[in-house]
Amino acid sequence: MFSYPPELFDLPVYGLPSTQKQAILNRVMSQLSQHHYQHCEAYRRLLDSRPFDFASAAHTEQFPVAARLFKDLALTSIQSNDVFRQMRSSGTSGQASKITLDGESAKRQSQVLVKILQSWLGKQRRPMLLIDAPSTVKKAGAMTARAAGLQGLSFFGRHHCYALNENMELDIEKVRDFFSKYGKQPVLIFGFTFIVWQTFIQALAQLNINFDFADAILIHGGGWKKMQDQAVTDEIFKASIYKTLGNVSVHDYYGMVEQTGTIYMQCEKGFLHTPVWSDVLIRSPQDLSLLEHGEAGLIQVNSVLPTSYPGHCILTEDLGTVFGEDDCECGRLGKYFKVHGRVPKAQVKGCSDTFS
């Protein structure tokens, strides 16, 4: 079993200065590379194709696995009898990524997700409106990223209400009932970006119905490809939320099934933030060299969480820019960044299980 440094998961989510955080990541990520090299044959072959001393390399120099390889290879570092859960991306636009978890990995992902979200939501559970259908979390087979998101965020709510019926259509009477009961209380709303936009906000607009929540937090994520196709920006999305739902604090997040448990939340200034257990690097699409802050390139996500599969260093097919570290105006430490979209002509990974 992989051994983590004592107190690693007791660190403040956004409170560790860069020098301390980078030192911890260098040590743990190096050990994770060695762990997966020993236990995952496919990962070992990848590293043997370009040998380097990963034992002494900084975490920024560890070998990143391309996200799409999780669709093509059996990348697992555990035995079949240790499998607790299998996760998959939606595969709606191609073959699905397959992620294998043992019990400890699943528990660790859940614990870190709780710590990250509690830093934004507090520990008091709120009445919760989920912009999805209840059947999404009940489907047989490996759990999708969308179902995992709904299930994971549900722990932060109470009096759960699904806003959509089994046909993924707005159930306006259920939403009205939820608002009449809890509209003047602090509430939590969660859904995937395009579903929130298409089946909730647009549906309410067509019905000419607005709600006036007194104190709501909306968390949404899952990518912007379909939104960009409709020329819907973050600013337009938020303006429509405010107009339709009232006093709502809107937070996008960036995450993927290949690193479940690690999410990058959007702050009040519009930037995504790296928690202490992860990091974001930007690489040149031409030669994969590391780019400076302010330069746009391919996003690489590093996380200390994955031990059951080699997902600790992943090169995504998303473009983004890191704007700084430890000096965001919101006051949180760590790198802060924005995602610009997919690499042109890149395979759509479908990790948000986007409804279409």
Side-chain angles (χ1 to χ4, degrees):
M1 182 180 297
F2 185 82
S3 179
Y4 285 100
E7 314 301 327
L8 175 63
F9 296 108
D10 293 325
L11 294 171
V13 179
Y14 303 106
L16 205 66
S18 172
T19 52
Q20 297 178 42
K21 174 180 175 176
Q22 297 301 322
I24 292 172
L25 289 177
N26 286 340
R27 181 167 72 253
V28 177
M29 299 297 287
S30 172
Q31 293 170 350
L32 279 170
S33 290
Q34 296 177 69
H35 167 79
H36 293 302
Y37 185 85
Q38 295 168 3
H39 293 92
C40 178
E41 180 182 355
Y43 182 73
R44 183 165 56 251
R45 293 201 306 268
L46 287 172
L47 262 64
D48 285 345
S49 69
R50 56 186 301 276
F52 73 107
D53 185 8
F54 53 74
S56 61
H59 83 94
T60 57
E61 299 168 336
Q62 298 297 324
F63 182 83
V65 175
R68 67 170 55 195
L69 289 183
F70 287 94
K71 303 177 189 294
D72 304 322
L73 300 176
L75 290 166
T76 180
S77 301
I78 57 175
Q79 300 299 315
S80 58
N81 59 348
D82 291 324
V83 174
F84 170 74
R85 176 182 297 159
Q86 286 190 322
M87 304 283 294
R88 62 177 175 84
S89 57
S90 67
T92 54
S93 301
Q95 185 179 356
S97 295
K98 299 171 287 292
I99 304 300
T100 302
L101 303 176
D102 58 11
E104 284 299 314
S105 294
K107 180 181 178 181
R108 188 183 316 116
Q109 289 179 345
S110 178
Q111 288 175 334
V112 168
L113 180 63
V114 167
K115 288 178 180 293
I116 293 171
L117 287 172
Q118 281 184 344
S119 72
W120 297 84
L121 299 175
K123 295 186 177 182
Q124 186 68 39
R125 292 195 301 163
R126 299 172 170 225
M128 186 171 186
L129 185 65
L130 299 106
I131 314 302
D132 214 303
S135 58
T136 301
V137 297
K138 299 176 182 177
K139 293 178 181 178
M143 182 173 286
T144 66
R146 186 167 127 215
L150 290 166
Q151 188 177 79
L153 269 292
S154 292
F155 290 117
F156 299 90
R158 58 189 175 91
H159 305 308
H160 301 89
C161 173
Y162 283 87
L164 309 182
N165 61 26
E166 301 303 330
N167 295 319
M168 294 296 291
E169 298 169 339
L170 178 65
D171 190 333
I172 188 59
E173 293 309 317
K174 287 178 66 175
V175 176
R176 278 185 169 133
D177 183 60
F178 179 87
F179 177 78
S180 67
K181 291 179 179 178
Y182 309 114
K184 303 307 177 183
Q185 303 178 28
V187 304
L188 173 61
I189 306 171
F190 173 74
F192 285 86
T193 307
F194 185 73
I195 299 177
V196 172
W197 176 257
Q198 187 77 8
T199 67
F200 189 59
I201 297 301
Q202 293 300 297
L204 287 173
Q206 290 173 6
L207 295 171
N208 197 28
I209 294 175
N210 293 332
F211 294 100
D212 188 18
F213 284 96
D215 178 14
I217 295 177
L218 167 64
I219 297 177
H220 69 98
W224 282 82
K225 184 178 185 299
K226 288 180 177 292
M227 303 290 282
Q228 291 167 341
D229 291 345
Q230 296 187 14
V232 179
T233 64
D234 185 50
E235 292 74 21
I236 292 174
F237 180 84
K238 287 179 178 176
S240 297
I241 296 293
Y242 304 147
K243 177 182 178 181
T244 307
L245 301 180
N247 183 27
V248 183
S249 176
V250 183
H251 299 276
D252 189 8
Y253 76 88
Y254 178 64
M256 60 201 68
V257 71
E258 294 86 357
Q259 282 189 357
T260 300
T262 299
I263 62 172
Y264 304 88
M265 292 285 292
Q266 184 187 51
C267 74
E268 303 81 359
K269 302 299 180 181
F271 295 105
L272 300 163
H273 279 260
T274 57
V276 68
W277 306 286
S278 63
D279 202 10
V280 166
L281 310 174
I282 305 296
R283 294 192 179 274
S284 165
Q286 283 72 42
D287 58 11
L288 298 186
S289 60
L290 283 176
L291 299 180
E292 299 292 330
H293 293 174
E295 295 185 283
L298 286 170
I299 297 174
Q300 177 181 328
V301 286
N302 289 358
S303 170
V304 303
L305 300 186
T307 57
S308 60
Y309 64 99
H312 57 306
C313 297
I314 295 178
L315 185 66
T316 75
E317 293 174 344
D318 297 320
L319 293 171
T321 302
V322 170
F323 288 90
E325 185 170 15
D326 290 355
D327 58 1
C328 182
E329 292 181 3
C330 77
R332 296 173 180 86
L333 300 185
K335 289 180 183 174
Y336 53 99
F337 66 103
K338 289 187 176 183
V339 178
H340 306 312
R342 307 287 286 149
V343 177
K345 298 183 180 180
Q347 176 184 354
V348 178
K349 62 187 174 186
C351 71
S352 65
D353 201 22
T354 301
F355 168 72
S356 60

